[in-house]
Amino acid sequence: MDAEQLRVRAEKAAERAITNLYDRQREDGSWVDRLSSSAIATALGALSLHRADPVGYRDRVDGAVRWLRAHQREDGGWAMADAEWPSSPGMTAFGLAALHEIDPDASHGAITRARTFIDDNDGMNVIPGLTGEAPKTWPAALPTIWALTGLRDFDQQPDMPVEAVLVPRRWRNKVSIALPAILGLGVMQSRTLPRGPLRRVLGRLAEPRALDWLREVSGTNGGIEECPMIAGFVYLALRRAGVGKDLELASLHYLLQTQREDGSWAIDRDLEISVTAYSIMALGEFQDVANEPLLQGTREWLLRNQWNKPFAQYGIPPGGWGWANPSGWPESEDTAVVLGVLADLGVPRTHPAVQLGIQWLLRMQNRDGSWSEWVRDTHIMNDRPCAGVTAHVVLALRRWGLPDSPGSALARALEYLRAHQDGDGSIASVWFRDNTHGTSRLLEAFVETARGSAPAAESARAWLLANQAEDGGWPRHHELPPRGSTAEETAWALFALLKAGADPRGPGVLRAVEWLVDHQDDLGTWRPSNVGLYFDDLCYTDDLIAHTFALRGLGRWLRTLNREGGAR
């Protein structure tokens, strides 16, 4: 298909996508997305409601159990999300625990198949803690849930040290977003497991501080991190411990609020701030968003959602944005995203929110020049330095005119990206899955700082071109072999290549655009694939991430084609 024929199709696809997007806009100007339902969140939510009131919440619990049974795979396992994704021994163990406690008789067949899946996939060895080794990441909570539900001896739990709350903040915060679960489960263990004299004393000292800490990070809706999974851990732990009744009830309230009509829960309630900003990024390829009447409320909504006070529990200064409110936490990725779109929406550099946001990002830079999400200079779990986040911060700060001279924050960030780039030109991104995202963002950052011909940019461009699939899209490269192209990877790669000067009529670009057009559905949107990461390897899909980045890629192609002299 030649460029002119494809242009007609792409314009129609973009028009349908823009209509779809505006149809979903809320009255306050923002957008809200749908994350995939989660086996782990649904299992924990079901267990929590069952323990809270098995009679009063029977319909809700039954709905969750039905969802779990309906979403068990043919191989007997459960996956991380309700989209296409391989079954996981860890997810399966959570689903098994819920069915074992709540509905063992009617779910006998599902439980048997789950046990077989775990056995066949060496689950007793690959699931941390089930064989006694020391867990290092969030699955440490899994054997604790097995102990709570009678699937293993109660005393055989990985240690969740509530005493962590007594150590200096700069040390305990290294575990980042896992700390709420550690402290909640740690309070339970301190109350219910045998402890030596010293630990009993430390536990008594730590418990009130841990409970106060949990209260401080809780949102007004009862959630922590807008995460039903965390709410489930906290509820189950404090109920067993018999303390922190207010936190227990708040977590239960949050779970009741966030259960879906089909009985399931998602990992996070939503990413409303993130996807609102992504929507502006996409629309900005087609419209003067600063003067669009439908987006005036969006600008004010984003400004209202800035954190104007410190997030003291983690030593995070005022000025950042989170992914959602009221219980999301300020973090680097969405602060960068929002700052960038505020410029597009016409907010001046002199605006206090912009000045505070820029200073926030500068204060959050790691010593090595990178950015993490919440905690500076940590390398634990997902809060380690991220190439995608780092590049996005570079794009935002450059958008506001910050210098990239030697020794500057931007120069140090670019050097970090160059130094951590793999020999093949790619770079992994902690958030948003894999190398296509990180490599695309690196290329954008180097182009934005007038370094598009630098070796790092050239090798990133070459990697993207070399890894385009035969169907014209880009697949998830962390899967071996890759299982198929996705809207997200294709959009990220296409946009970066066009920004880096790719010929809009070149065969590779045309194939990518054709892939996006061909894969738009009748509703004007695209099928989401697993993108987000949450606690190491727990993924989710997000419909508006797929939609907005695909639309943005089409928009950049149409703009570039017109600018190159292809306008009719």
Side-chain angles (χ1 to χ4, degrees):
M1 182 178 298
D2 65 27
E4 289 307 316
Q5 292 174 313
L6 187 56
R7 184 216 302 270
V8 174
R9 295 187 64 207
E11 287 174 343
K12 291 179 179 178
E15 183 179 356
R16 289 194 298 269
I18 292 171
T19 299
N20 179 295
L21 194 58
Y22 273 123
D23 285 346
R24 293 187 58 175
Q25 188 180 27
R26 297 188 289 192
E27 290 185 3
D28 60 9
S30 67
W31 279 265
V32 66
D33 48 344
R34 184 193 184 276
L35 278 71
S36 53
S37 293
S38 161
I40 179 174
T42 302
L44 291 170
L47 284 167
S48 298
L49 269 58
H50 178 71
R51 292 198 169 195
D53 187 349
V55 176
Y57 297 135
R58 178 178 298 166
D59 290 345
R60 286 177 172 268
V61 174
D62 286 349
V65 168
R66 284 195 300 271
W67 188 92
L68 286 169
R69 287 201 297 248
H71 286 79
Q72 188 177 25
R73 302 296 177 83
E74 291 185 3
D75 60 12
W78 280 273
M80 298 177 187
D82 62 2
E84 290 184 5
W85 194 258
S87 299
S88 157
M91 297 303 102
T92 302
F94 277 104
L96 190 159
L99 297 183
H100 168 80
E101 172 162 313
I102 297 169
D103 194 20
D105 294 332
S107 300
H108 176 75
I111 292 170
T112 300
R113 292 195 301 275
R115 286 187 178 277
T116 300
F117 174 82
I118 291 174
D119 291 341
D120 289 348
N121 289 272
D122 198 27
M124 299 305 288
N125 289 317
V126 302
I127 300 171
L130 295 188
T131 56
E133 77 274 21
K136 297 180 176 62
T137 60
W138 71 265
L142 169 54
T144 301
I145 296 302
W146 273 37
L148 276 169
T149 55
L151 287 168
R152 67 181 315 194
D153 290 341
F154 188 78
D155 290 352
Q156 300 301 309
Q157 299 181 40
D159 194 7
M160 301 285 191
V162 70
E163 300 90 341
V165 78
L166 301 175
V167 304
R169 185 176 66 191
R170 66 180 181 276
W171 294 343
R172 70 169 183 259
N173 284 357
K174 296 294 186 181
V175 296
S176 186
I177 50 177
L179 190 53
I182 290 173
L183 293 182
L185 294 170
V187 167
M188 179 194 72
Q189 291 183 350
S190 181
R191 286 266 175 163
T192 58
L193 294 181
R195 300 295 197 203
L198 178 58
R199 290 205 67 184
R200 286 199 298 271
V201 171
L202 292 175
R204 286 195 293 270
L205 292 173
E207 180 182 294
R209 296 191 187 186
L211 295 175
D212 284 343
W213 189 95
L214 289 169
R215 293 182 182 104
E216 290 167 357
V217 300
S218 296
T220 55
N221 60 353
I224 297 174
E225 303 174 23
E226 291 298 348
C227 179
M229 180 178 71
I230 294 292
F233 283 135
V234 171
Y235 177 82
L236 292 168
L238 297 185
R239 181 175 177 83
R240 180 61 185 262
V243 296
K245 190 68 175 179
D246 59 325
L247 286 165
E248 179 187 328
L249 292 176
S251 297
L252 181 63
H253 174 71
Y254 183 77
L255 289 169
L256 292 169
Q257 283 184 307
T258 53
Q259 188 178 21
R260 291 177 165 170
E261 290 185 3
D262 64 3
S264 69
W265 281 267
I267 282 293
D268 257 31
R269 177 179 62 85
D270 59 47
L271 311 178
E272 59 182 348
I273 296 175
S274 309
V275 298
T276 296
Y278 298 154
S279 297
I280 301 303
M281 290 166 60
L283 293 170
E285 296 296 320
F286 299 89
Q287 304 171 357
D288 176 8
V289 293
N291 293 304
E292 170 54 55
L294 291 173
L295 301 178
Q296 302 306 302
T298 311
R299 178 177 59 224
E300 299 309 313
W301 185 87
L302 288 169
L303 291 170
R304 287 197 304 273
N305 277 283
Q306 186 178 29
W307 278 75
N308 291 314
K309 60 181 181 179
F311 192 62
Q313 297 75 18
Y314 278 80
I316 298 176
W321 278 266
W323 62 98
N325 280 337
S327 69
W329 298 358
E331 33 82 24
S332 299
E333 166 70 12
D334 286 301
T335 300
V337 172
V338 173
L339 276 176
V341 302
L342 287 178
D344 297 337
L345 289 168
V347 178
R349 171 69 184 269
T350 55
H351 195 288
V354 172
Q355 294 180 333
L356 192 61
I358 291 172
Q359 290 304 311
W360 190 94
L361 285 175
L362 293 174
R363 291 176 65 181
M364 293 295 290
Q365 188 173 25
N366 294 324
R367 286 193 294 267
D368 64 5
S370 68
W371 272 268
S372 305
E373 281 287 48
W374 299 277
V375 180
R376 294 181 65 249
D377 301 317
T378 183
H379 291 267
I380 295 177
M381 300 200 320
N382 278 351
D383 219 356
R384 58 189 184 272
C386 176
V389 172
T390 299
H392 212 147
V393 173
V394 170
L395 293 168
L397 294 179
R398 189 62 179 169
R399 181 73 175 80
W400 288 105
L402 268 70
D404 55 2
S405 53
S408 66
L410 295 188
R412 293 171 55 226
L414 293 169
E415 174 57 25
Y416 169 87
L417 293 171
R418 185 203 63 77
H420 287 79
Q421 194 174 23
D422 289 341
D424 63 2
S426 68
I427 190 167
S429 183
V430 176
W431 295 89
F432 295 127
R433 195 166 50 215
D434 73 353
N435 288 28
T436 302
H437 179 264
T439 307
S440 299
R441 284 282 187 245
L442 179 150
L443 181 55
E444 289 182 53
F446 273 77
V447 170
E448 189 69 19
T449 54
R451 291 170 171 82
S453 60
E458 292 288 358
S459 58
R461 181 189 290 105
W463 186 89
L464 289 172
L465 292 171
N467 282 275
Q468 187 175 18
E470 291 184 4
D471 64 4
W474 274 261
R476 295 177 289 216
H477 289 280
H478 69 294
E479 296 175 346
L480 296 175
R483 290 196 302 152
S485 299
T486 75
E488 296 90 349
E489 264 83 9
T490 303
W492 291 328
L494 174 63
F495 185 91
L497 289 170
L498 289 169
K499 182 165 184 164
D503 180 0
R505 298 175 181 272
V509 169
L510 293 180
R511 288 167 55 222
V513 173
E514 188 171 6
W515 190 97
L516 289 174
V517 171
D518 286 346
H519 286 80
Q520 188 183 42
D521 65 23
D522 293 339
L523 298 176
T525 189
W526 287 263
R527 181 180 182 179
S529 59
N530 289 289
V531 290
L533 292 175
Y534 205 98
F535 287 95
D536 198 28
D537 61 353
L538 190 63
C539 296
Y540 53 77
T541 69
D542 186 293
D543 60 344
L544 277 183
I545 288 178
H547 186 97
T548 55
F549 281 104
L551 177 59
R552 188 179 186 228
L554 290 179
R556 179 52 59 106
W557 180 72
L558 290 167
R559 285 180 59 188
T560 306
L561 195 65
N562 290 338
R563 190 170 61 244
E564 295 289 323
R568 289 172 294 181

